[in-house]
Amino acid sequence: MQNQQGCVSEFPKQLILPCPAKQKAGMEEEVMMSMTEKETAAMNNPHFVLVHGLGGGAWCWYKIKCLMEISGYKVSCIDLKGAGTDRSDANSIVSFDDYNKPLMDFMSALPHSEQVILVGHSAGGLSVTQATHKFANKIRLAVYVAATMLKSGFLTDQDTKYGVPDFSQFGDVYELGFGLGAEQPPTTAMVKKEFQRKIIYQMSPQEDSTLAALLLRPGPTLALQSARFKEDGEMVEKVGRIYIKTMHDNVIKPEQQEAMIKKWSPSQVHVLDSDHSPFFSAPFSLFGLLLKVAATSAGYK
């Protein structure tokens, strides 16, 4: 600083350089603080990874994704093979590993230091479960929304009874695809348009069921039936699980959901007064529940 005579009376504090040792210590402290802030931010604003059910796509989650992003959360919506914007022919997908590859590739590419909250809807629960077997250390929490939750996949007839929709009460509801030939089991299935609202979206806004009718694609049922997972024992149990029941579900009926919950008990069970598609029929309630379980998920690891 200069006095009235133009002489320097003192150096500005910002020009006084610290000694190297103190500077290094300060930098280390700053880095440590920065890391702590990043970890805190990650805990407060977790990364949600949303997985659709059979025939759906990332588009199913548009309301939830919007609510989360507006609230400052990071969200990734996966298109499994043959679904959404993935142009693969579902009739050519005959193994679950092939069908679920987009999610497995996504999980593999995540940094080892990052943990996500995996959310699976309907058959997307099988995708989430496979991920918990292979990437347990990268998953902060697994959330099953009206989803198939079977630890080992479809190993037994009981698993099929619990995890596969039974539409017999509605009649002939499926459009089937026979990619391996008419004499072979069907490779794909999709609920016929005239049944979709009645079965899947009966409590959802009309515009959402109309959107779904435009975007739903045949799902690779043969691939889904091959979903079987080798139990990794301790690893898969390291991941905390939450189940969100849907009380007016015509696809995975409440009694099926309850049977899976009893067979492989999750950490928490929550209930929504919705149809099979709460991301349409009860988006604010589902959003609130996801934030609630995320806020308490730190205790599961």
Side-chain angles (χ1 to χ4, degrees):
M1 299 287 292
Q2 290 185 332
N3 57 24
Q4 291 181 347
Q5 287 73 35
C7 300
V8 175
S9 59
E10 60 179 349
F11 287 103
K13 290 182 179 179
Q14 61 267 34
L15 295 182
I16 301 175
L17 300 178
C19 73
K22 289 184 178 179
Q23 189 175 35
K24 181 179 179 183
M27 288 174 65
E28 289 176 348
E29 184 178 354
E30 184 178 343
V31 169
M32 290 179 67
M33 288 176 64
S34 177
M35 289 300 293
T36 302
E37 288 170 0
K38 287 179 180 178
E39 289 169 0
T40 302
M43 293 302 293
N44 292 335
N45 296 288
H47 182 181
F48 290 88
V49 179
L50 311 180
V51 186
H52 62 82
L54 191 70
W59 57 268
C60 294
W61 299 102
Y62 82 94
K63 289 183 176 181
I64 303 301
K65 179 177 172 66
C66 181
L67 288 169
M68 286 184 168
E69 289 182 341
I70 287 173
S71 302
Y73 295 92
K74 184 177 180 180
V75 189
S76 299
C77 299
I78 307 297
D79 275 325
L80 299 177
K81 192 167 183 181
T85 59
D86 184 286
R87 303 321 302 169
S88 303
D89 180 2
N91 282 298
S92 70
I93 305 167
V94 295
S95 76
F96 186 78
D97 286 348
D98 191 22
Y99 172 60
N100 204 35
K101 189 173 186 297
L103 177 60
M104 294 297 98
D105 289 347
F106 178 90
M107 295 299 300
S108 179
L110 284 174
H112 290 290
S113 58
E114 183 173 359
Q115 288 187 329
V116 298
I117 296 179
L118 268 185
V119 182
H121 172 249
S122 196
L126 292 165
S127 298
V128 167
T129 299
Q130 186 181 47
T132 64
H133 280 276
K134 295 189 175 183
F135 298 102
N137 291 329
K138 292 185 176 183
I139 302 171
R140 176 170 157 184
L141 190 66
V143 183
Y144 295 77
V145 181
T148 302
M149 185 178 67
L150 300 168
K151 185 176 182 179
S152 303
F154 295 120
L155 283 184
T156 67
D157 291 341
Q158 186 183 64
D159 293 329
T160 301
K161 180 180 178 181
Y162 292 166
V164 174
D166 177 11
F167 295 145
S168 56
Q169 70 187 89
F170 298 103
D172 181 18
V173 304
Y174 279 128
E175 290 180 4
L176 301 175
F178 294 87
L180 300 178
E183 302 302 318
Q184 299 298 318
T187 47
T188 63
M190 184 170 73
V191 174
K192 296 175 182 177
K193 289 188 185 298
E194 59 265 33
F195 289 101
Q196 288 174 6
R197 179 162 180 80
K198 182 178 182 180
I199 295 174
I200 312 172
Y201 310 111
Q202 79 273 17
M203 296 174 68
S204 300
Q206 186 74 45
E207 59 267 28
D208 288 325
S209 61
T210 301
L211 175 69
L214 294 171
L215 297 177
L216 280 173
R217 295 174 58 187
T221 49
L222 190 62
L224 219 63
Q225 292 164 16
S226 72
R228 294 176 180 84
F229 316 126
K230 293 181 180 178
E231 292 192 13
D232 293 45
E234 293 182 4
M235 289 302 291
V236 70
E237 295 296 348
K238 284 179 62 178
V239 180
R241 282 175 294 107
I242 306 291
Y243 200 97
I244 299 178
K245 296 173 62 177
T246 42
M247 295 310 296
H248 306 283
D249 200 318
N250 291 324
V251 181
I252 306 294
K253 296 180 176 63
E255 56 268 28
Q256 291 177 286
Q257 297 179 39
E258 190 61 37
M260 289 185 287
I261 289 168
K262 287 181 179 178
K263 184 174 181 179
W264 192 27
S265 298
S267 307
Q268 297 177 26
V269 177
H270 298 272
V271 179
L272 284 177
D273 188 38
S274 77
D275 56 19
H276 185 62
S277 306
F279 39 68
F280 290 159
S281 59
F284 291 101
S285 297
L286 176 58
F287 170 64
L289 268 182
L290 291 176
L291 296 195
K292 179 179 178 180
V293 299
T296 60
S297 64
Y300 292 115
K301 286 289 182 180

